[in-house]
Amino acid sequence: MKKFSIILFLWVLLCNSVFAEVPDDYRYVKTWRILEFTGVADSIPVDTAHLNFQDINLIDRYSIANSYNGNLGSPIQSKIYFDCPEKSDFIFADSYYPYINRFSTNTFYNTKTPFSSLKYLTGGTQYRKEDQVAFLFTANANKKANFGIDLDYIYAPGEYKNQSSKRFAASFFGTYDGKKYKAAGLITTNSITNLENGGIASSSSITNPPSGLETKNIATNLGTGVQSSYKFFQLYYNQQYSLGFERHIKDSEDSTAMEFVPVTKFAHTIKLEQMRKRYFESSVDTSFYAHTYLPIEETNDTAALQSMTNRFSISLAEEFNKWMQFGLTAYIQNEVQNFLYTTDTVYLHDVKSNTKLGGILAKELGQTFKYRFLGELDFLGYKAGDFLLETRIEGNFKLWNNTIQLLANGFIRSDEPSYFEQYYHSNHFVWENNFSKIYRTHLGGEFAIPTQELWLKVGVENVTRSVYYDSWAMPAQYSGNVQILSADLKKNFHFGKFGLDNNIVAQLTSNDEIIPLPALALYHNFYYDDKWFAKVLSVQLGVNVRYNTAYYAPGYMPATGQFYNQHTMKVGNFPVVNVYANLHLKRTRFYIEYYHLNQKFMKDIYYSMPDYPINPAVVKMGLTWNFYD
């Protein structure tokens, strides 16, 4: 596979050398994401940067410090508190968050010519490789309508026994940007299957391995025939119709043009979702689990959630009023959820409904000053009494030759715990709880000078009645308060053709038995950046390191897919060092990386979390190739 990758790369370089000059990406392709909550388009840069291309994989892009099973596609949780997403109603989905394509993470396009992109990543030892192949195609039918398809496949056998993961995602998306009618839609299906090994049986297999022991032969806590799978399907469609008027605008010194100014926007969003989690054992393992409840020969635990959400809103657009430039939105949302799970041969389901009202006061246009105030209340259904008050204020101003960006955000919210944290029956875990609502307050701020490549984020959060998973991997609720304080600093330096990127995250938790966090997480990246061969080939040569301090990192429970608190083994205090080369020529980006170089001379426990080591030293490679016709 490595020989094939090198040959493919050389062939791509040859093709690029004879092609005409590539169009400027920002002129020919525009990209954005749509805020799921408001339907507002949020522009993002076209993904063509050559710097740090070696971190394109989903794990390194997720956070600078992660707990995961060791290979690409495995369950994952960030060690950075404020990098973790909000908990979902389907608790089994949370550990797969960065692998799942959904409306809020989907990139939308507007292209002057058809655009397609091919991505191929590979790496590993001779007997264990992990591969990712992705293909994107998008085109405009006319100036107003765009459609596209995105395919992504991962196969990662893993360096350790019984660790294989497979992931396939397919998405079809489209947008229509008319004068009065606008729409955006997505249909996506995601499927992930993981073999579960329960972690390695002894840490001495890492720190003091017997002579000639290969990682694929290291004993694990679970045998063959144990696997977890997760499937996610989403249909999302947002449409808006505006009432307004036409006005003259100055087109040039000697001419004017007509511009449509929206006054009132009516919007409807429908979202259909299906989520399904399955845990299967071909023969029941009674030694690994504390309890086995069913007298059956194999475990086949299944849980599912089917939901339909409708949201209707009416907005007064901020564009039409020059004197009071803000928008007002009122909305009502109804959600119907069908919770399903099986235990032995008994099929159980419970239908829940929930309705909320909300409003938004916001100024989203312009660059100098923006703000958004949001409030919502659930008044019908099993979540009645949930509420959210949220604010975000952003300002930009000039100081000498620099632009200073300031942002303040905060929220107060009350949330009903997940249905599956209250009720769940399976072969190895059974619980019936009556948890109270979780109450959270948050204050945060950001200070940035982009021209100086400086970003600082600070945040403090108080969690009352936090729901967590205890040392038995059972859900529990803490009756008191837990405070989290975090500072996230990024600063990049440049010395001629050399660069040094730095990201330092400091965290403090008032109760590490409930919310354990590493006190410090670091990422440093030192590199040489230049253009070679008549300045047509961009070259980056570098070394980076990731590190977090030791702490009682959460363990992972295969039967439920949950990360749980433990207080017997500290994980961390071990750097991961990688050396790499990135090349960028016109339409093509390529990298080769020697991952975890220091494993060759450091014999410490390189665990990501208890019993789960990261991959040993391996070679990784990848390329992307973009087409504009």
Side-chain angles (χ1 to χ4, degrees):
M1 187 64 74
K2 293 177 184 177
K3 293 181 179 178
F4 169 76
S5 301
I6 295 173
I7 293 172
L8 178 60
F9 170 63
L10 294 175
W11 178 72
V12 168
L13 289 183
L14 178 63
C15 291
N16 272 294
S17 66
V18 298
F19 284 160
E21 188 66 28
V22 179
D24 181 82
D25 299 311
Y26 297 93
R27 289 175 52 203
Y28 284 80
V29 180
K30 294 182 180 179
T31 57
W32 67 91
R33 287 181 178 163
I34 297 177
L35 302 180
E36 183 176 350
F37 198 77
T38 60
V40 175
D42 186 14
S43 297
I44 58 175
V46 180
D47 184 17
T48 56
H50 74 279
L51 287 179
N52 303 322
F53 179 54
Q54 77 284 350
D55 289 337
I56 193 175
N57 68 82
L58 294 169
I59 292 176
D60 289 338
R61 294 180 69 175
Y62 186 44
S63 179
I64 65 170
N66 299 298
S67 295
Y68 61 106
N69 292 19
N71 58 323
L72 189 64
S74 63
I76 186 172
Q77 182 184 67
S78 175
K79 299 176 188 286
I80 310 301
Y81 180 81
F82 290 119
D83 282 352
C84 296
E86 295 288 342
K87 285 186 175 182
S88 68
D89 284 338
F90 194 64
I91 61 173
F92 311 102
D94 294 342
S95 59
Y96 298 107
Y97 181 85
Y99 303 112
I100 303 301
N101 193 33
R102 58 183 68 81
F103 187 83
S104 58
T105 62
N106 190 77
T107 301
F108 293 90
Y109 296 81
N110 187 289
T111 66
K112 290 189 176 181
T113 62
F115 173 72
S116 55
S117 179
L118 176 66
K119 177 173 70 175
Y120 174 61
L121 310 180
T122 187
T125 58
Q126 291 296 326
Y127 55 90
R128 298 281 188 179
K129 289 185 173 62
E130 55 182 36
D131 297 303
Q132 180 179 6
V133 181
F135 174 75
L136 164 74
F137 173 79
T138 182
N140 272 51
N142 51 49
K143 290 184 178 181
K144 298 179 180 180
N146 174 275
F147 66 91
I149 186 170
D150 192 352
L151 305 175
D152 202 335
Y153 176 74
I154 292 174
Y155 177 61
E159 294 294 325
Y160 305 95
K161 187 187 300 184
N162 304 323
Q163 193 188 34
S164 174
S165 67
K166 294 180 182 180
R167 175 253 193 178
F168 176 71
S171 304
F172 179 78
F173 57 88
T175 58
Y176 180 83
D177 187 15
K179 182 168 65 174
K180 294 184 177 182
Y181 181 79
K182 301 178 185 294
L186 172 74
I187 298 176
T188 181
T189 180
N190 300 257
S191 176
I192 298 179
T193 300
N194 296 102
L195 295 186
E196 301 282 9
N197 64 16
I200 64 173
S202 174
S203 59
S204 63
S205 301
I206 299 295
T207 57
N208 189 28
S211 178
L213 178 66
E214 296 180 321
T215 54
K216 67 177 180 179
N217 295 322
I218 293 177
T220 57
N221 290 317
L222 289 174
T224 59
V226 183
Q227 72 174 34
S228 296
S229 61
Y230 172 66
K231 297 182 184 298
F232 174 80
F233 170 84
Q234 184 184 73
L235 185 154
Y236 190 102
Y237 189 73
N238 173 271
Q239 56 182 338
Q240 304 176 20
Y241 185 81
S242 299
L243 301 177
F245 60 90
E246 302 275 353
R247 70 181 175 192
H248 290 278
I249 60 170
K250 194 170 185 179
D251 191 30
S252 65
E253 288 293 331
D254 302 317
S255 65
T256 61
M258 298 300 295
E259 176 189 48
F260 177 74
V261 180
V263 176
T264 305
K265 297 180 182 179
F266 299 91
H268 170 237
T269 297
I270 183 170
K271 179 171 67 173
L272 301 175
E273 292 182 325
Q274 293 181 348
M275 291 161 273
R276 185 180 182 87
K277 173 69 164 64
R278 179 175 180 255
Y279 176 75
F280 177 80
E281 294 174 301
S282 58
S283 60
V284 177
D285 191 313
T286 58
S287 60
F288 182 78
Y289 294 103
H291 303 284
T292 300
Y293 294 100
L294 303 174
I296 53 179
E297 295 182 358
E298 63 180 33
T299 298
N300 190 12
D301 297 332
T302 302
L305 170 61
Q306 300 170 349
S307 69
M308 181 177 68
T309 304
N310 278 281
R311 175 188 171 100
F312 298 91
S313 66
I314 181 171
S315 303
L316 297 179
E318 63 179 279
E319 293 100 317
F320 83 98
N321 193 330
K322 292 184 178 180
W323 305 107
M324 300 178 64
Q325 292 186 345
F326 59 82
L328 284 171
T329 300
Y331 61 87
I332 183 170
Q333 176 176 300
N334 175 260
E335 182 180 41
V336 179
Q337 297 174 304
N338 186 14
F339 297 90
L340 310 98
Y341 57 97
T342 60
T343 173
D344 196 1
T345 58
V346 180
Y347 181 76
L348 305 171
H349 74 99
D350 197 352
V351 178
K352 300 285 187 180
S353 179
N354 199 66
T355 305
K356 66 175 65 176
L357 284 173
I360 302 172
L361 170 65
K363 181 183 182 300
E364 304 285 356
L365 301 179
Q367 297 297 323
T368 304
F369 182 65
K370 299 179 182 180
Y371 57 83
R372 185 181 71 179
F373 300 96
L374 179 149
E376 67 177 28
L377 173 66
D378 295 75
F379 66 96
L380 286 177
Y382 79 106
K383 294 183 181 180
D386 283 9
F387 67 85
L388 171 64
L389 298 173
E390 183 180 65
T391 182
R392 176 184 175 93
I393 302 173
E394 179 181 348
N396 298 276
F397 60 92
K398 288 282 188 179
L399 183 62
W400 295 294
N401 293 325
N402 297 312
T403 298
I404 309 297
Q405 297 179 350
L406 295 175
L407 185 147
N409 60 75
F411 64 73
I412 302 173
R413 63 185 304 159
S414 175
D415 296 294
E416 181 74 13
S418 164
Y419 175 90
F420 282 112
E421 288 176 333
Q422 304 277 29
Y423 309 102
Y424 183 64
H425 287 224
S426 67
N427 193 14
H428 297 298
F429 288 90
V430 173
W431 59 71
E432 294 185 6
N433 298 310
N434 188 24
F435 293 150
S436 302
K437 292 184 182 295
I438 304 165
Y439 185 78
R440 295 163 53 201
T441 57
H442 175 91
L443 287 174
E446 297 181 24
F447 170 83
I449 309 178
T451 53
Q452 299 296 320
E453 298 188 59
L454 170 67
W455 300 267
L456 173 63
K457 295 193 297 185
V458 295
V460 59
E461 188 164 311
N462 181 83
V463 186
T464 304
R465 299 186 293 274
S466 175
V467 173
Y468 65 102
Y469 288 81
D470 62 20
S471 58
W472 295 99
M474 297 283 287
Q477 188 165 49
Y478 178 59
S479 59
N481 300 315
V482 182
Q483 291 84 35
I484 300 94
L485 177 65
S486 173
D488 185 338
L489 173 65
K490 295 180 182 179
K491 178 68 177 91
N492 301 335
F493 298 94
H494 297 278
F495 317 94
K497 295 179 180 180
F498 293 89
L500 176 62
D501 298 342
N502 304 277
N503 189 184
I504 302 172
V505 179
Q507 301 178 114
L508 179 64
T509 172
S510 65
N511 192 332
D512 59 6
E513 294 189 357
I514 307 301
I515 303 179
L517 297 170
L520 200 64
L522 307 174
Y523 171 79
H524 300 287
N525 179 33
F526 180 71
Y527 59 89
Y528 165 85
D529 179 33
D530 197 7
K531 289 184 179 292
W532 293 356
F533 305 112
K535 297 188 180 298
V536 297
L537 178 67
S538 296
V539 178
Q540 181 191 17
L541 307 174
V543 54
N544 61 41
V545 58
R546 296 171 186 263
Y547 169 88
N548 65 263
T549 52
Y551 76 115
Y552 289 111
Y556 173 74
M557 178 51 62
T560 58
Q562 301 305 304
F563 294 89
Y564 66 93
N565 293 354
Q566 58 85 33
H567 307 284
T568 58
M569 176 183 289
K570 283 192 172 183
V571 171
N573 199 28
F574 182 87
V576 178
V577 180
N578 313 307
V579 294
Y580 64 88
N582 285 324
L583 304 177
H584 184 197
L585 177 61
K586 295 183 179 179
R587 308 180 183 206
T588 306
R589 292 177 292 174
F590 173 82
Y591 79 86
I592 182 168
E593 176 184 45
Y594 196 72
Y595 169 82
H596 199 181
L597 167 68
N598 54 308
Q599 184 262 337
K600 290 296 185 181
F601 51 85
M602 296 180 67
K603 299 302 180 182
D604 293 340
I605 302 178
Y606 43 89
Y607 279 168
S608 162
M609 54 185 175
D611 297 335
Y612 287 92
I614 63 173
N615 285 341
V618 295
V619 175
K620 297 184 177 183
M621 292 182 289
L623 66 86
T624 62
W625 190 11
N626 296 333
F627 304 84
Y628 296 88
D629 42 42

